[in-house]
């Protein structure tokens, strides 16, 4: 079982999107064989956890059926877990989470924090698996219309604290909860940067924190002239690695990334700078 104690170096969670329409890789790993091979490559590059998801959460994405989501993820979860990988299932559906845990998944990562499916909390409580609770304000189709905050960091922290309390009341043990501030979900670019600048306030909630900035649009706008299209997702890995370095310096439990090698390199630098001469 993987530790939820924040160590001197964040764990690296490698993303395996088994979707035809992911914003980051455009369905490159949609077929099970390709997704399994990609997961193995991420492990070889240094990933500690593989986060396998069958539903795109990019803005405006349509949801697949439960049956289709299961068809996408279960062969991948089963094979990679059998390899000995620590597998996280990225889903908002209790039925998918239950099947994935039975197939070997060790973590449930729900971008809705249990809000999208009323049965999720009970399933996770019964299974006893770690549960990632992301800050969420609605499904991808209209989430950006809800990016309104008085103080984004204070509001996100308050929402997460409230959600954690509810989930504990539904039987999930606090020691199994991980929080994620939800970069890019109902957040503007400035909201995302503010959350990163004030990451210490999220860490101060006293729970393991997962940071998921990888290839997000706000990183793609760096260095691009006003009014121009952001750089494509595949060109955002260096910026992602810098945010992983930042997360390491502030005590994040884990970072969720598409390109594992660049983030592992950034964390190696953070380790070297922390060591005494």
């Amino acid at each position: 079982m993987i530790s939820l104690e924040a160590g001197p170096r964040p764990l690296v969670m490698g993303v395996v999107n088994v979707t035809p329409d992911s914003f980051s890789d455009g369905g490159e790993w949609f077929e099970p064989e390709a997704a399994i091979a990609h997961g193995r490559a991420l492990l070889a590059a240094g990933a500690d956890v593989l986060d396998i998801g069958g539903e795109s959460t990019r803005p405006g994405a349509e949801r697949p059926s439960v049956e289709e989501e299961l068809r996408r993820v279960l062969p991948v979860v089963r094979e990679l877990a059998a390899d000995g990988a620590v597998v996280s299932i990225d889903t908002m559906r209790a039925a998918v989470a239950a099947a994935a845990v039975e197939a070997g998944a060790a973590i449930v990562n729900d971008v809705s924090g249990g809000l999208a499916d009323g049965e999720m909390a009970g399933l996770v409580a019964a299974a006893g698996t770690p549960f990632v609770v992301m800050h969420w304000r609605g499904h991808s189709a209209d989430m950006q219309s809800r990016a309104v905050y008085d103080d984004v960091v204070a509001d996100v922290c308050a929402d997460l604290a409230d959600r954690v309390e509810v989930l504990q009341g539904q039987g999930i043990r606090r020691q199994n909860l991980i929080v994620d501030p939800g970069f890019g979900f109902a957040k503007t670019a400035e909201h995302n940067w503010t959350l990163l600048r004030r990451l210490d306030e999220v860490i101060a909630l006293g729970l393991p924190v997962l940071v998921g900035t990888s290839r997000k649009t706000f990183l793609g706008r760096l260095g691009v002239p006003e009014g121009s299209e952001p750089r494509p997702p595949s060109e955002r890995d260096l910026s992602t690695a810098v945010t992983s370095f930042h997360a390491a310096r502030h005590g994040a439990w884990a970072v969720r990334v598409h390109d594992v090698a660049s983030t592992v390199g950034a964390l190696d630098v953070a380790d070297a700078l922390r060591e005494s001469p």
Side-chain angles (χ1 to χ4, degrees):
M1 188 63 189
I2 202 154
S3 174
L4 300 190
E5 294 292 327
R9 176 186 179 113
L11 300 177
V12 178
M13 180 182 281
V15 179
V16 182
N17 287 320
V18 195
T19 59
D21 56 348
S22 168
F23 86 95
S24 64
D25 49 43
E28 192 171 351
W29 321 116
F30 183 46
E31 295 303 323
E33 295 79 7
I36 291 164
H38 183 54
R40 288 171 175 158
L42 294 179
L43 291 171
D48 301 293
V49 181
L50 297 177
D51 194 40
I52 299 168
E55 175 180 353
S56 174
T57 52
R58 63 177 174 77
E62 295 292 327
R63 305 196 72 190
S65 68
V66 176
E67 294 74 19
E68 173 61 14
E69 189 177 349
L70 286 166
R71 186 196 69 77
R72 294 174 183 181
V73 300
L74 284 184
V76 184
V77 170
R78 191 174 292 115
E79 190 73 18
L80 291 171
D83 283 352
V86 178
V87 171
S88 166
I89 180 64
D90 180 356
T91 185
M92 292 182 274
R93 289 171 164 144
V96 176
V101 168
E102 186 175 350
I107 300 170
V108 176
N109 179 14
D110 181 353
V111 299
S112 80
L115 287 167
D117 186 333
E119 296 182 5
M120 182 66 88
L123 175 279
V124 172
T129 58
F131 185 53
V132 180
V133 183
M134 199 190 79
H135 182 262
W136 189 77
R137 287 193 164 182
H139 288 290
S140 299
D142 62 354
M143 66 180 176
Q144 289 309 107
S145 67
R146 304 178 191 188
V148 179
Y149 303 90
D150 293 325
D151 177 323
V152 65
V153 181
D155 291 352
V156 166
C157 288
D159 289 348
L160 286 172
D162 289 347
R163 190 72 198 128
V164 164
E165 185 175 353
V166 169
L167 291 167
Q168 288 183 262
Q170 293 175 317
I172 302 178
R173 295 184 300 167
R174 185 177 178 86
Q175 57 262 42
N176 281 342
L177 292 170
I178 301 155
V179 294
D180 178 342
F183 291 96
F185 287 80
K187 314 285 190 307
T188 65
E190 187 50 40
H191 291 149
N192 292 320
W193 287 117
T194 301
L195 276 166
L196 271 174
R197 291 184 200 108
R198 294 166 57 188
L199 191 59
D200 285 346
E201 293 174 51
V202 184
I203 303 291
L205 288 170
L207 289 160
V209 174
L210 173 63
V211 172
T213 59
S214 185
R215 295 184 176 177
K216 295 292 174 73
T217 301
F218 77 103
L219 298 178
R221 296 194 186 284
L222 288 173
V224 174
E226 188 74 28
S228 300
E229 287 295 309
R231 286 178 289 109
S234 61
E235 295 180 14
R236 302 172 192 170
D237 290 329
L238 177 58
S239 300
T240 297
V242 175
T243 66
S244 296
F245 179 92
H246 177 78
R249 302 284 287 213
H250 287 267
W253 166 74
V255 289
R256 180 182 183 275
V257 299
H258 297 84
D259 183 70
V260 166
S262 56
T263 273
V264 167
L267 296 180
D268 287 344
V269 171
D271 284 349
L273 289 172
R274 193 165 38 239
E275 290 174 3
S276 299

